[in-house]
Amino acid sequence: MSYNTTERKENFELSPGEMAVVDHASGAVARDTIAPEDIAAWRHGRMFVNDVTIGDVVERLQRYHRAWISVPDPRLAARRVTGLYDLTDPDRALQALVQPYGGRLRKVTDYGRVLTQF
């Protein structure tokens, strides 16, 4: 899905069914659309992401996981994903996040997880 507009440091209003996506590296803000059923997915224990990096998703999932999560391979962290992930089982969500790219979730300790591509 392509963005309608990309804006920097400008104020704009979102209409129903739109969302703003912030690029953490550049600070650029892009306007995109979102399905109504995905708007409040977190209220039902799910997280919807649209065309974001695995690194960004891990950053968001970190809030729901008691373990520290690492993605040491920058190529894996830079892969883009779209999906709906179950927040009630963060390990399952992490595995689902990297599995399409041949990745694996490795449980180092109760308080450490590493996502690898081998």
Side-chain angles (χ1 to χ4, degrees):
M1 181 181 295
S2 61
Y3 294 120
N4 298 330
T5 1
T6 301
E7 303 171 29
R8 288 191 92 159
K9 298 182 183 181
E10 294 180 23
N11 292 328
F12 61 91
E13 289 186 26
L14 296 175
S15 300
E18 290 185 327
M19 67 178 176
V21 180
V22 178
D23 182 301
H24 292 281
S26 67
V29 179
R31 185 184 313 237
D32 201 354
T33 58
I34 185 168
E37 63 271 13
D38 295 328
I39 291 173
W42 61 271
R43 289 182 183 170
H44 303 289
R46 297 175 303 194
M47 179 179 66
F48 173 74
V49 296
N50 183 21
D51 192 33
V52 296
T53 66
I54 287 176
D56 287 339
V57 176
V58 166
E59 195 176 296
R60 294 180 196 179
L61 279 171
Q62 185 67 69
R63 293 181 235 160
Y64 302 95
H65 206 303
R66 67 182 183 157
W68 174 75
I69 307 165
S70 175
V71 188
D73 183 347
R75 292 170 299 177
L76 180 61
R79 296 279 198 157
R80 300 191 81 77
V81 295
T82 295
L84 187 63
Y85 300 96
D86 182 1
L87 298 175
T88 62
D89 189 348
D91 278 344
R92 188 169 155 215
L94 290 168
Q95 182 61 46
L97 179 65
V98 296
Q99 192 170 17
Y101 298 107
R104 292 190 52 196
L105 167 66
R106 299 186 185 276
K107 181 179 176 182
V108 180
T109 69
D110 286 342
Y111 299 102
R113 303 292 188 273
V114 178
L115 299 177
T116 64
Q117 203 162 13
F118 55 87

